[in-house]
Amino acid sequence: MASNGTKTRPPQFPVGEMLHLLMRDFPGWPCWYGSATGAWWALPPPNCGYPRLVEAATPAQLAHRIHQIQATDRRIA
């Protein structure tokens, strides 16, 4: 159960495999699955102009958000 009393759903994806693929496709972006939040997360690299963590409901959505950020800031592509 999450700290607010609601149940968190287990991920519908093989976490280890998805993390491997995300970090392979986005070197310099540490990624993880938050078992307490049920969300997928990424930390932008230091040279990125994006100032906060990236959160998404699925690994595919996280990849899409990272692509969007990289398209905005070509210094990190």
Side-chain angles (χ1 to χ4, degrees), residues 3-19:
S3 60
N4 65 1
T6 62
K7 284 187 176 182
T8 56
R9 294 185 345 217
Q12 298 176 341
F13 308 93
V15 174
E17 182 180 333
M18 293 294 107
L19 289 174

Side-chain angles (χ1 to χ4, degrees), residues 55-76:
E55 177 187 9
T58 68
Q61 289 173 351
L62 185 61
H64 180 73
R65 300 242 4 246
I66 294 171
H67 276 297
Q68 288 178 316
I69 293 165
Q70 288 181 330
T72 302
D73 185 352
R74 297 311 307 167
R75 293 176 297 171
I76 60 169

Side-chain angles (χ1 to χ4, degrees), residues 18-67:
M18 293 294 107
L19 289 174
H20 172 76
L21 293 173
L22 285 166
M23 290 192 282
R24 180 200 67 194
D25 292 345
F26 304 104
W29 288 75
C31 299
W32 65 95
Y33 174 75
S35 59
T37 62
W40 293 80
W41 297 88
L43 177 66
N47 64 332
C48 177
Y50 194 76
R52 57 182 173 236
L53 292 173
V54 181
E55 177 187 9
T58 68
Q61 289 173 351
L62 185 61
H64 180 73
R65 300 242 4 246
I66 294 171
H67 276 297

